[in-house]
Amino acid sequence: MKLLIEEARPLYEAANRFKQQASWQWLSNSHTFGVQDPESGQIGYCTVMGNGGEMYGMAVYLGTEGLNTLANLMQGNVTEDPVFTQHCFLLSFDNRDELSPQEYKQLKALGFSYRGRNAWPTFHLYEPGYVPGPVRKAADLRFFATCVEQAIEMASAVRSDPDQLFPTDERLFLTRVPELSSDGQALIWSSQWLEPQPIVVNETASMFIDEFQQARLRKLPCPSESFWEFGLSYLPTPIDDKERPYFPQIIIITEPASGMIIHSAIAEQKRSMQQCAEELVDLLLKRGYRPSQLILSRPELAQALLPLLTSIDIEVYTADQLPMVEDVLQEMSQFLH
């Protein structure tokens, strides 16, 4: 898919003004604020980079899930490479040799030229499971440009006291909100303290496994104090799909008591949660018993499997690290490299 040309012009123009403002001189990456998309209503949570003098630009974390990733990064709670999991737009000012041929062609077609180090704006999309790459959709370019424009406004408004972006209520974020003017011809922006929208889980394992199967699983013996580790992890070697390269996921289930890997499979990207449920059910039936506990590597995986596991009386836990699963992944990574 080729990069859009004219649709990207407002984003380049906003980035030029953002760089000229140099708001990283008074904002740090801990100053987070929101911008609501006039089209979709989604909120992007913005943070300005450059206060440390290493990388200049800004990131826009998309929605509450994106915000949670940012919070985990800030708190040092990330156990997996953020390139696999974060969902954000990234504006960075790079060197000429860091641009892809398509990005350079897009920039020259628009008539923009830059000189020196950290001078060339790049706009990338990070999306869970995909290799980061240039922003390619018109709607994304529009929202990204809006975020940069409103970041300029927000930075100017708080310049004398940037810490006013830190709320007294930690659940709230100062957010730029658009409203149509009375004649419907323009957007009027205001700053409001808003709480992030709750995350809606659309898929759970109970949607994938019918009651007959659940009844069969409940009849299986369940040895006390038995447990399995269940890991769902990204592999570092991307698959070069025609539209967008992506990182494959692997399912690994281990039985620490026996020291055995009892199941592994490559997860299909668009149905990984459904596949996790199906692979688990097949394994339970094949082995003929239920572990009393299942320890999962990811909270979202636990949330998806929880209804099923609760219905068949398996206790659910999550852990930052699963020792046997980590050993398998480390060996695979060494092999792949």
Side-chain angles (χ1 to χ4, degrees):
M1 185 187 297
K2 294 182 179 179
L3 297 185
L4 301 175
I5 302 298
E6 281 304 318
E7 291 87 344
R9 184 181 296 278
L11 182 51
Y12 277 103
E13 292 174 344
N16 293 340
R17 295 193 297 272
F18 176 83
K19 188 173 190 295
Q20 185 175 20
Q21 185 188 49
S23 57
W24 49 78
Q25 294 177 2
W26 63 91
L27 293 177
S28 72
N29 59 8
S30 62
H31 293 107
T32 305
F33 54 91
V35 177
Q36 187 174 47
D37 185 357
E39 297 180 31
S40 69
Q42 182 184 45
I43 294 177
Y45 292 92
C46 307
T47 179
V48 173
M49 301 173 297
N51 191 261
E54 295 182 2
M55 179 179 181
Y56 298 89
M58 65 175 281
V60 182
Y61 287 84
L62 300 172
T64 304
E65 290 181 333
L67 177 64
N68 289 344
T69 302
L70 173 61
N72 288 329
L73 285 169
M74 299 290 290
Q75 296 165 10
N77 294 333
V78 175
T79 57
E80 197 166 21
D81 190 330
V83 76
F84 299 140
T85 57
Q86 60 186 348
H87 194 191
C88 68
F89 298 136
L90 178 66
L91 158 63
S92 60
F93 295 96
D94 299 329
N95 302 328
R96 164 67 184 88
D97 59 3
E98 295 175 281
L99 272 65
S100 70
Q102 278 193 323
E103 289 173 307
Y104 184 70
K105 184 177 180 179
Q106 179 190 54
L107 191 150
K108 297 302 288 185
L110 289 168
F112 294 113
S113 183
Y114 306 89
R115 290 183 180 276
R117 293 179 56 82
N118 303 122
W120 301 75
T122 63
F123 313 104
H124 286 175
L125 170 64
Y126 286 70
E127 190 171 5
Y130 290 94
V131 176
V135 179
R136 298 176 182 273
K137 294 182 179 179
D140 287 344
L141 290 169
R142 290 193 296 270
F143 183 35
F144 200 170
T146 296
C147 288
V148 177
E149 292 163 357
Q150 293 307 311
I152 295 169
E153 296 295 325
M154 183 70 83
S156 178
V158 303
R159 182 165 187 166
S160 61
D161 181 18
D163 289 352
Q164 63 187 283
L165 289 173
F166 298 142
T168 54
D169 184 339
E170 293 183 355
R171 297 172 299 176
L172 304 179
F173 290 85
L174 194 58
T175 303
R176 296 289 288 168
V177 178
E179 290 185 13
L180 274 177
S181 60
S182 56
D183 60 6
Q185 299 301 308
L187 288 176
I188 300 173
W189 290 86
S190 63
S191 296
Q192 303 176 25
W193 289 101
L194 298 180
E195 187 173 351
Q197 298 174 345
I199 295 175
V200 178
V201 178
N202 294 320
E203 294 184 337
T204 65
S206 59
M207 296 170 60
F208 312 134
I209 309 303
D210 61 40
E211 292 184 4
F212 175 74
Q213 284 180 306
Q214 292 182 40
R216 289 182 65 194
L217 295 172
R218 280 194 292 269
K219 293 179 181 179
L220 294 175
C222 183
S224 62
E225 299 183 5
S226 59
F227 71 95
W228 294 349
E229 294 180 350
F230 192 126
L232 177 66
S233 302
Y234 287 100
L235 294 175
T237 304
I239 293 176
D240 191 11
D241 185 73
K242 288 184 179 180
E243 284 201 15
R244 286 180 66 187
Y246 66 91
F247 295 105
Q249 289 179 289
I250 186 168
I251 299 167
I252 300 174
I253 305 176
T254 68
E255 186 180 53
S258 66
M260 294 178 59
I261 302 166
I262 56 177
H263 187 70
S264 65
I266 297 296
E268 297 178 28
Q269 187 184 34
K270 294 182 179 180
R271 59 184 295 272
S272 59
M273 293 301 170
Q274 177 179 351
Q275 187 177 345
C276 282
E278 293 170 351
E279 302 269 353
L280 177 59
V281 168
D282 289 345
L283 182 62
L284 289 167
L285 294 172
K286 179 180 178 181
R287 296 189 71 86
Y289 78 93
R290 292 172 290 136
S292 60
Q293 301 175 3
L294 192 65
I295 305 175
L296 300 152
S297 63
R298 304 169 75 150
E300 63 269 28
L301 178 58
Q303 195 168 15
L305 294 180
L306 183 61
L308 168 64
L309 297 173
T310 301
S311 74
I312 60 175
D313 297 324
I314 295 179
E315 295 180 3
V316 182
Y317 298 92
T318 60
D320 291 337
Q321 291 186 327
L322 303 178
M324 286 192 65
V325 172
E326 294 297 325
D327 289 345
V328 174
L329 288 172
Q330 187 173 6
E331 290 179 10
M332 291 188 68
S333 295
Q334 291 173 352
F335 175 77
L336 290 170
H337 282 88

